Amino acid sequence: MKYQPSIAYTTFSHITKGNRYRLLYIFNTPLNQNQYQILYDNIITNIELDNHNRAIYQFYLGSYANCKLINNLIIYNYDDISISNSIKEKPTPYNIQLQMEKRDKVVVEIKDHEYISNFWNLSHKDLIEKYREKYPFFENNLEEANEDIPYITIPENYCCIKRYWFKEKTKLNNGNCVYSNRVCKIKDGNGRRKKLFLNAIVRKYMYPQIEFEHLLHCLANELYYYINNSKDPISKQELYDIAENAYNENIDKYSTMIKQQQTEKRKWIINPQYCIKYNLSAKTVRNMVKGKINNELIGLYYDCSKSLKENLSTFKALNLKVGKSKLYEWCKENNIPTNIKNNQSTKNTVGLYLYNPISAIAG
């Protein structure tokens, strides 16, 4: 259903004449007759229902006290529906009885009712901006690092949402070309709904105690930034149902899929907060970190009882890329003699390399 009703409830003839629901659409301003009929025509083109209620003066009865009730907490603006008056789209099948039964079976604890209300009433863009800090969008299970630490060590249980990127070429007025990385959005026909569901499962693995509202907000981000929703659009109701089903699912059933998200070969990544604080590019920090780690490895494996040449052979066997000039420089910085002769009895000490991020920047 393209336009979800604000409220839906079963009528007196429900069951006796088949499934009978009355759909109510609530607007934030009064409507005149012309506006009412435009909205009515737009709504009924997308669903199959009784089309004898186009008159604005139509009288409607209520229902039984124990009728089935669906409250979607939606309040529409007039333009939300009327602007698409000239657009004819293929109707989307929607069985409200099945949706009702589904909701009876799947229950989540709502703690932030204000967020749920805003989820239905705000655009994805406005919703994401409003709750950016309260429900942060995360794509991996790395712990937040101190901004004074240039890199983050990747743990063994590291897991992340995988993306695919392409380089976009832009030609400038001066004839030069610049390239920027753009994400490949998932298109219709590539299992967008299934991918959103599995995406939510992976996030539950990353953060087992995640609240439903936070999970739903992450999926809203996914839909807005990483899904092409122009064709056969995924509605808010569908997104809510996907989050609801994933939230109640047992993630142990998806252990194989989760392992496929744990193929990270890197041992560390650059800390973006460090780059921001010290106004350094990721490339600069990456080279700095490589040098730091390289020095630590030299200190770990350097044998002071051996000659420089012998140590170079050791590093080569360990697949450590250390050149002769680099090793001379390291020995000089750490006051380690390089003229050790073979078989000379020397206490084997490990070079100590102290790293100061502030001095590294100043240097």
Side-chain angles (χ1 to χ4, degrees):
M1 177 180 286
K2 183 175 182 180
Y3 303 113
Q4 299 296 316
S6 303
I7 298 173
Y9 63 88
T10 53
T11 66
F12 289 106
S13 57
H14 181 64
I15 302 300
T16 58
K17 294 184 179 180
N19 295 325
R20 292 290 187 274
Y21 282 81
R22 182 162 290 121
L23 311 183
L24 305 184
Y25 291 80
I26 300 175
F27 291 82
N28 58 1
T29 57
L31 305 174
N32 59 37
Q33 180 172 341
N34 183 57
Q35 290 174 323
Y36 172 85
Q37 291 176 344
I38 290 175
L39 293 171
Y40 184 90
D41 291 341
N42 265 328
I43 292 171
I44 68 169
T45 57
N46 291 280
I47 54 176
E48 295 182 7
L49 45 69
D50 180 5
N51 61 356
H52 299 293
N53 301 310
R54 196 169 184 269
I56 196 170
Y57 50 81
Q58 181 77 32
F59 177 76
Y60 300 96
L61 294 172
S63 187
Y64 296 107
N66 61 345
C67 68
K68 290 186 177 180
L69 176 68
I70 299 175
N71 187 350
N72 285 322
L73 302 174
I74 302 175
I75 298 178
Y76 286 98
N77 294 314
Y78 172 72
D79 289 338
D80 289 343
I81 299 177
S82 65
I83 57 175
S84 60
N85 187 40
S86 61
I87 301 175
K88 302 297 181 181
E89 295 184 1
K90 183 179 179 180
T92 302
Y94 184 84
N95 188 322
I96 202 166
Q97 175 68 20
L98 291 178
Q99 292 294 327
M100 188 68 207
E101 292 173 355
K102 186 177 181 181
R103 288 187 172 209
D104 288 341
K105 296 176 182 177
V106 181
V107 178
V108 296
E109 181 183 2
I110 302 299
K111 296 181 179 179
D112 190 346
H113 292 278
E114 181 184 1
Y115 173 81
I116 297 299
S117 177
N118 283 321
F119 171 81
W120 294 114
N121 292 293
L122 295 179
S123 67
H124 285 301
K125 181 179 179 181
D126 291 341
L127 181 76
I128 290 168
E129 187 60 36
K130 182 178 178 67
Y131 290 93
R132 188 178 301 278
E133 294 185 5
K134 185 173 184 179
Y135 297 124
F137 181 60
F138 63 94
E139 300 181 279
N140 57 58
N141 59 346
L142 288 176
E143 294 184 3
E144 187 173 349
N146 187 295
E147 60 184 8
D148 288 322
I149 299 175
Y151 71 100
I152 305 170
T153 302
I154 296 177
E156 292 184 0
N157 67 336
Y158 177 73
C159 185
C160 70
I161 305 294
K162 294 190 179 298
R163 310 284 183 204
Y164 295 94
W165 303 80
F166 68 94
K167 282 192 174 182
E168 185 177 63
K169 180 180 178 181
T170 304
K171 191 171 184 178
L172 304 178
N173 293 332
N174 60 8
N176 294 333
C177 293
V178 294
Y179 295 87
S180 57
N181 291 325
R182 299 288 296 274
V183 68
C184 297
K185 290 191 174 185
I186 303 173
K187 298 181 180 180
D188 177 47
N190 292 330
R192 296 172 302 160
R193 291 166 178 82
K194 181 179 179 180
K195 283 183 169 62
L196 281 170
F197 174 80
L198 296 177
N199 185 296
I201 292 294
V202 172
R203 280 194 164 86
K204 277 193 64 183
Y205 169 80
M206 295 178 187
Y207 186 14
Q209 303 304 319
I210 189 170
E211 295 180 351
F212 173 72
E213 293 85 347
H214 195 172
L215 183 64
L216 178 60
H217 194 66
C218 284
L219 290 191
N221 277 269
E222 284 290 330
L223 183 61
Y224 185 75
Y225 289 111
Y226 300 107
I227 301 289
N228 186 330
N229 206 32
S230 59
K231 186 177 180 182
D232 184 22
I234 298 171
S235 67
K236 284 190 175 183
Q237 181 64 63
E238 288 181 286
L239 192 67
Y240 187 95
D241 289 342
I242 290 170
E244 200 174 45
N245 290 332
Y247 189 78
N248 287 281
E249 186 61 278
N250 180 5
I251 65 172
D252 292 339
K253 294 162 54 177
Y254 302 89
S255 57
T256 302
M257 182 273 296
I258 291 173
K259 286 181 180 179
Q260 293 174 355
Q261 307 291 318
Q262 298 175 304
T263 57
E264 182 60 58
K265 295 181 179 179
R266 295 175 297 176
K267 301 298 181 183
W268 53 271
I269 60 173
I270 296 301
N271 182 3
Q273 298 304 317
Y274 180 91
C275 298
I276 294 172
K277 180 174 181 178
Y278 295 106
N279 194 27
L280 294 170
S281 68
K283 184 177 180 180
T284 299
V285 177
R286 186 178 295 108
N287 291 335
M288 187 173 68
V289 171
K290 283 182 178 179
K292 173 187 181 303
I293 293 176
N294 208 30
N295 280 321
E296 290 177 345
L297 290 173
I298 293 174
L300 180 63
Y301 294 108
Y302 191 89
D303 189 343
C304 295
S305 66
K306 294 181 179 180
S307 66
L308 198 74
K309 185 177 181 180
E310 288 174 319
N311 275 290
L312 283 171
S313 298
T314 300
F315 293 142
K316 185 176 181 180
L318 293 171
N319 199 28
L320 297 179
K321 297 180 180 180
V322 181
K324 187 176 181 179
S325 58
K326 171 63 180 177
L327 198 54
Y328 265 117
E329 181 184 347
W330 181 86
C331 289
K332 183 178 180 180
E333 289 176 352
N334 292 278
N335 298 318
I336 296 176
T338 57
N339 58 347
I340 302 297
K341 295 182 179 180
N342 291 337
N343 301 322
Q344 181 177 345
S345 177
T346 305
K347 185 178 180 181
N348 186 14
T349 59
V350 176
L352 178 62
Y353 180 76
L354 299 178
Y355 179 73
N356 186 331
I358 306 299
S359 63
I361 294 171

